Amino acid sequence: MSSGKSTKPARNKLPPKEPNEMTHGEKLKLIDDELNAFYKYCQQAGFTEEEMDIICQPLVAAMRRSWLQLVFQATLVLVALGTLCCLAAQLDFVGTHFSAIGRLFMIKMLPVWNWQPLYYENCMMNNPFYNDYHPVTEEDCVACEALETIDRQSDVRYRQLVDNYLNRDAPVIITDAMSSWAAMNTDFFWFDNITHLYLENERLMETVPCALTSNLRTGSSDLAAFLRRVHTPGVAKWFVHWQNCDIQAVKVLRKYYQRPYFLSSTVSPAHFNWVLMSSDYSSPNYKRVELDSGLIALAQFRGATQLRLTPINPCNSSCPELIADLHQGEMLVFTNLMWHLEYAPMRGLDNIAILTETVWEEDT
């Protein structure tokens, strides 16, 4: 007979896990349970808060040392990585890639944060103790205040160019600068050939231009995507200019132009070069080319380009803008310490020009 008492099957207790069998969460829960049990025991034993602080001091000190060691190790790792990146950036090849990747990252950030207004500011924050300083002073403006036009010269000698123009920050157009260049006697520099040059050369395909401006939107800042777009039949009325700062791209394009006859062999080769192309494009707005300081040479291979040189502040209030047309076979030469370069493609023409930036250290 049943005694009337319900019996439940006894639960089999699982054996405790070994520490090496526990997950990270289980270990933290075990430690938390033990600390709570220790705290309740201290309360039941009648310990005051001060006495409990003294008892727990070794544990707190050990945890603080462990946290400080973790922070110190993380700091060492970050410093080591930062040092390696800084050292690697000193190499031209690596530094150029860092710059290109950084620009691509900033372009991708535009939908989230429009940083473009800051790009044109000298400082992100106004400093009341900062005295506004410009590399060009008002005293320097005497070099350009009397200029009215851009001179056109031919059969120029190096010393004549330096004394009459470069050392006086005056621009000049050399009309016979490219007469002996093989590219002027062939159709190589037609924009279809430039497109093939980049799309069929692995080194050029892998490079990323440090600056690219165009009226066409390809959904990518990749130069190859743009060139494929303009190579498609039916695409008309476009312009583009881009800067090659990857040394491999600079070297490949350098094969298709020569040192101008009027430059001394002591002048270093161009460290960066630009390609400016357009097809039947016309606009009332000039396109700014953001250049580094140095010796600038703009060679017109096909078509024609209207140029505008604008004096840099503070000379823009005392010196005039200089406007000129650059025709096929001509080259604009100037040092851009005092000038901003802007251009407008000629309508109805297919225009191709190559611009070179060269370190300029001539001071005599």
Side-chain angles (χ1 to χ4, degrees), residues 11-45:
R11 293 182 179 180
N12 294 327
K13 293 186 178 181
L14 296 175
K17 293 183 178 180
E18 295 294 329
N20 57 357
E21 297 176 347
M22 295 182 179
T23 63
H24 182 70
E26 290 174 338
K27 290 179 181 179
L28 290 177
K29 186 176 183 307
L30 178 62
I31 294 173
D32 187 60
D33 292 341
E34 292 182 352
L35 288 175
N36 284 329
F38 177 71
Y39 179 76
K40 291 179 181 179
Y41 170 78
C42 291
Q43 284 184 325
Q44 293 173 357

Side-chain angles (χ1 to χ4, degrees), residues 153-208:
Q153 298 287 341
S154 61
D155 192 23
V156 179
R157 296 294 177 263
Y158 177 66
R159 183 46 55 185
Q160 175 190 358
L161 177 71
V162 172
D163 293 341
N164 293 343
Y165 296 100
L166 300 185
N167 279 352
R168 299 171 61 183
D169 294 313
V172 61
I173 293 177
I174 311 299
T175 58
D176 60 349
M178 305 160 62
S179 301
S180 62
W181 291 11
M184 299 306 299
N185 302 317
T186 67
D187 289 332
F188 175 81
F189 274 95
W190 198 252
F191 66 81
D192 281 339
N193 299 84
I194 288 283
T195 302
H196 283 300
L197 172 66
Y198 273 78
L199 295 181
E200 295 177 1
N201 188 302
E202 292 184 1
R203 287 187 174 182
L204 292 181
M205 281 285 289
E206 293 174 355
T207 61
V208 177

Side-chain angles (χ1 to χ4, degrees), residues 10 23 25 35 130 232 255 293 314 330:
T23 63
L35 288 175
Y130 174 74
T232 303
K255 295 178 182 179
S293 296
E330 296 180 340

Side-chain angles (χ1 to χ4, degrees), residues 257-302:
Y257 60 86
Q258 303 168 23
R259 178 191 295 273
Y261 73 85
F262 49 80
L263 285 187
S264 168
S265 59
T266 59
V267 178
S268 62
H271 57 281
F272 292 148
N273 50 38
W274 295 69
V275 177
L276 289 69
M277 298 197 303
S278 67
S279 179
D280 192 23
Y281 186 84
S282 178
S283 170
N285 300 317
Y286 285 84
K287 315 305 176 188
R288 172 73 65 87
V289 182
E290 299 292 344
L291 301 171
D292 294 332
S293 296
L295 177 64
I296 308 301
L298 176 61
Q300 189 73 31
F301 283 89
R302 292 290 182 271

Side-chain angles (χ1 to χ4, degrees), residues 65-210:
R65 283 195 302 271
S66 177
W67 182 81
L68 289 175
Q69 287 177 352
L70 182 62
V71 171
F72 180 71
Q73 291 173 355
T75 303
L76 282 180
V77 172
L78 292 176
V79 170
L81 289 175
T83 302
L84 289 175
C85 291
C86 290
L87 292 175
Q90 302 305 311
L91 301 174
D92 291 340
F93 177 78
V94 178
T96 301
H97 276 74
F98 279 176
S99 176
I101 293 172
R103 294 187 184 192
L104 289 175
F105 173 76
M106 295 304 293
I107 292 172
K108 298 295 185 183
M109 284 288 294
L110 281 174
V112 180
W113 172 44
N114 184 14
W115 47 263
Q116 290 175 316
L118 295 176
Y119 178 81
Y120 297 101
E121 295 291 336
N122 292 327
C123 296
M124 294 180 66
M125 298 178 62
N126 292 324
N127 184 352
F129 302 103
Y130 174 74
N131 293 322
D132 195 14
Y133 170 76
H134 297 276
V136 177
T137 64
E138 292 184 0
E139 289 76 13
D140 298 322
C141 300
V142 295
C144 64
E145 62 184 5
L147 295 176
E148 296 179 354
T149 61
I150 301 177
D151 288 350
R152 310 180 86 91
Q153 298 287 341
S154 61
D155 192 23
V156 179
R157 296 294 177 263
Y158 177 66
R159 183 46 55 185
Q160 175 190 358
L161 177 71
V162 172
D163 293 341
N164 293 343
Y165 296 100
L166 300 185
N167 279 352
R168 299 171 61 183
D169 294 313
V172 61
I173 293 177
I174 311 299
T175 58
D176 60 349
M178 305 160 62
S179 301
S180 62
W181 291 11
M184 299 306 299
N185 302 317
T186 67
D187 289 332
F188 175 81
F189 274 95
W190 198 252
F191 66 81
D192 281 339
N193 299 84
I194 288 283
T195 302
H196 283 300
L197 172 66
Y198 273 78
L199 295 181
E200 295 177 1
N201 188 302
E202 292 184 1
R203 287 187 174 182
L204 292 181
M205 281 285 289
E206 293 174 355
T207 61
V208 177
C210 288

